[in-house]
Structures are given as C-alpha cells and as structure tokens.
Amino acid sequence: MKSLTVIQHTSAEYLGLMEDHFEGRRIRFTYVRPFTEGVAPPHPDAVADGLILLGGGPWGSAGARDLPTLEAEIAVARTCLMVEKPVVGIGLGAQILALAAGGSVEAAPLRFTVDTALRCMEEALNGYLPESWPVAVYGRDRAVPPDYAQVLARAGDGEPALWQIGGNAFGFAGHPGLKVAMVEDLIMEFEEAPADPAPALRDLRAAQRAIEDALVPIMTGLVQLTGLMQPGGE
C-alpha cells in the first residue's frame, strides 16, 4: 500500500475532497503539522512514497509574512525532486515547490478568488485534465515555476493554475479539493483575512459541485503520473 507524507500549514486546510480519492485507491496519507509545538518538517528520509505540501492561509514566501519553516520545507521538497519522489504543491505548497525547483515567487497580498482554469494542452495529466474547471485561491504571494516547467492550465488572469516539473511533480495555484468550510475556518483561524470575502464565498458555494466533478479526472491523472496507482486500479 502506497503512503503519502502531507505537510499541513494551518489547522483549517487539509486534503479536503482529495482524501476520499486517496482512500478509495487505498493510498494512505499521514499529516505532519509543523505549526504545532514540538513538530518539525519531516526529514527527507522520512517522506514516504510521495510528498504533498498544502496551502498556508495568510502565510507566504516572498517576504511579507513568510512561513516559519519555509527553508526547511524547501530543502525537503528539493531532495524529493532530486530522487524523483512525487511532489504535489498546493497554494503556498506550490510556492515551496517552485523555489525548490529553481523557480521563484512573486509578492502578492492575501487574496481569495474563484476563477476558471483553462487547459493549455490536451494531453495534460495523461489526458484527464478537464478543459476547464473552477479554481479557488486563498493565500498570499504567487508561485513562479521555473522556465523548464510545463504549464498545464492557466487562470483567467494568465497566472499558471497547474504546472508540472519532470514526470511526477505538480503545482496547483488553488486547492483542487477545496471545501467551503475550509475557507470559513481559515477566516476564523487567523487575525488576517482577505477584505470582504463574502462574494468569493458565494462563488465558491456555487462552484462546489463543479469542483467535486472536476476532481474525479484530475485525481485519476494525478495518481497515474505520480506512480501511486495500485495494481488493478484505474
């Protein structure tokens, strides 16, 4: 049975809707929570069959409010890339992945937006990436993937919504398995929140079913390309 190491940066943001897809494929996942007292980012040798770096709410990586464990997590992600272990970065996690891979980050204020991602290449995610799907971004700063990365989809503002490094590392600008309750909890968890999040919350509620539907093919392609697919699975 395959197992994932998941680094969580806030109490509110977890794998969300992705959990059911991993569990349905008998892929285990273990959360590591460096934001809790006495817990450090995992040593690279302790990462299981793959690494997932989650978002961070108001935490960023471009200098305004950097994640306290940023450098250590960049080192973990860089080691995973070097040994070709699968890495999936989401939001802040995508920024960490970009920095580990030789890319950069762009400073941006904390924001909460719901947009539409448009596929850039038909064969993306083994051909499973939807032509378009809702992408919700809650976070600070933006990942700038390295020049050699493949941009698989872009949001309406042109920002890469999904990009790939090598055969098995992926950066998502927004959480593909986001639940409305997760954003509501993020707003409550921190003293800092985006200005007037109510309109985006309404948009997210309206897009929830479409997010759930799009996650089905996204997870199929993602699991295949990361080598996490079980014998006899999809």
Side-chain angles (χ1 to χ4, degrees):
M1 181 178 287
K2 298 286 189 176
S3 182
L4 293 166
T5 298
V6 183
I7 300 184
Q8 190 174 0
H9 300 118
T10 74
S11 295
E13 186 164 345
Y14 61 106
L15 287 172
L17 296 168
M18 298 172 75
E19 285 192 345
D20 289 342
H21 289 270
F22 286 130
E23 289 171 348
R25 294 172 169 87
R26 299 182 67 246
I27 300 170
R28 292 176 176 170
F29 46 87
T30 301
Y31 286 103
V32 179
R33 300 177 172 91
F35 60 91
T36 58
E37 187 175 355
V39 177
H43 187 277
D45 292 343
V47 174
D49 297 303
L51 176 68
I52 297 183
L53 300 150
L54 293 174
W59 294 112
S61 61
R65 186 175 182 174
D66 284 356
L67 181 73
T69 53
L70 179 63
E71 293 303 322
E73 294 190 31
I74 291 172
V76 175
R78 182 178 294 123
T79 299
C80 288
L81 291 173
M82 289 174 62
V83 299
E84 298 184 350
K85 190 167 287 188
V87 182
V88 177
I90 297 170
L92 173 59
Q95 297 170 35
I96 294 169
L97 174 59
L99 291 168
S104 61
V105 292
E106 182 181 277
L110 178 61
R111 67 200 188 281
F112 174 31
T113 61
V114 181
D115 200 349
T116 299
L118 301 175
R119 187 181 64 200
C120 295
M121 53 182 65
E122 195 170 334
E123 66 275 19
L125 289 187
N126 260 5
Y128 284 101
L129 187 65
E131 186 175 350
S132 65
W133 78 96
V135 57
V137 174
Y138 188 109
R140 165 177 272 112
D141 303 332
R142 292 184 173 90
V144 180
D147 292 341
Y148 65 89
Q150 282 188 309
V151 176
L152 306 182
R154 293 187 183 274
D157 60 359
E159 178 184 359
L162 173 59
W163 43 275
Q164 179 175 351
I165 292 175
N168 62 0
F170 300 88
F172 288 85
H175 197 315
L178 190 65
K179 297 181 179 181
V180 174
M182 291 164 62
V183 174
E184 293 173 337
D185 288 346
L186 274 171
I187 293 170
M188 296 295 293
E189 184 176 349
F190 294 91
E191 81 287 351
E192 184 182 9
D196 190 17
L201 274 171
R202 286 196 297 269
D203 291 343
L204 181 58
R205 289 190 185 96
Q208 192 71 78
R209 180 58 184 271
I211 289 173
E212 294 174 12
D213 290 345
L215 188 61
V216 176
I218 287 173
M219 289 300 296
T220 300
L222 194 65
V223 167
Q224 287 186 3
L225 290 173
T226 53
L228 297 168
M229 185 173 64
Q230 299 300 302
E234 295 175 348

